[in-house]
């Protein structure tokens, strides 16, 4: 019996509300996805908008950079190779 089985996912998200509801719905019914962590890109200008149905029937957690990185996180700019600090 596989009724108790479910899936989890971690999604890196940036300004994709126009795709998010469909992505969650598909994976909720096809897998079944029941646990979702959404890591919001620090350059995102919006927040994830999640339909109430999924908020009521799944475990959804939204993380910002401070939830899973350190203050000394750096990255290389892809255009000029400059070292950039995180946006904490």
């Amino acid at each position: 019996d596989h009724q108790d089985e479910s899936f989890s996912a971690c999604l890196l998200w940036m300004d994709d509300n126009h795709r998010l509801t469909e992505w969650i719905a598909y994976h909720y019914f096809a897998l079944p996805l029941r646990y979702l962590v959404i890591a919001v890109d620090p350059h995102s200008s919006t927040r994830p908008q999640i339909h109430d149905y999924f908020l009521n029937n799944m475990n959804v957690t939204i993380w910002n950079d401070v939830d899973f990185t350190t203050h000394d996180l750096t990255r290389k700019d892809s255009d000029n190779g400059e070292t950039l600090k995180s946006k904490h």
Side-chain angles (χ1 to χ4, degrees):
D1 188 344
H2 297 287
Q3 269 187 321
D4 293 333
E5 293 182 4
S6 63
F7 285 82
S8 302
C10 183
L11 181 65
L12 180 57
W13 183 89
M14 181 175 172
D15 298 325
D16 285 329
N17 277 316
H18 60 285
R19 293 186 179 104
L20 186 60
T21 298
E22 183 179 352
W23 188 93
I24 293 173
Y26 173 82
H27 290 88
Y28 178 86
F29 291 105
L31 289 179
L33 180 67
R34 295 297 182 267
Y35 303 93
L36 177 62
V37 174
I38 301 174
V40 179
D41 187 286
H43 296 97
S44 184
S45 60
T46 60
R47 301 281 301 157
Q49 297 174 353
I50 302 165
H51 193 280
D52 287 342
Y53 177 86
F54 301 113
L55 290 174
N56 293 328
N57 291 287
M58 294 176 60
N59 182 339
V60 179
T61 303
I62 297 177
W63 284 352
N64 295 303
D65 266 9
V66 295
D67 298 315
F68 64 98
T69 63
T70 63
H71 288 287
D72 59 349
L73 179 70
T74 59
R75 65 179 178 85
K76 294 279 187 188
D77 185 287
S78 60
D79 294 330
N80 62 19
E82 179 184 348
T83 299
L84 305 171
K85 293 288 283 177
S86 69
K87 292 184 81 177
H88 282 242

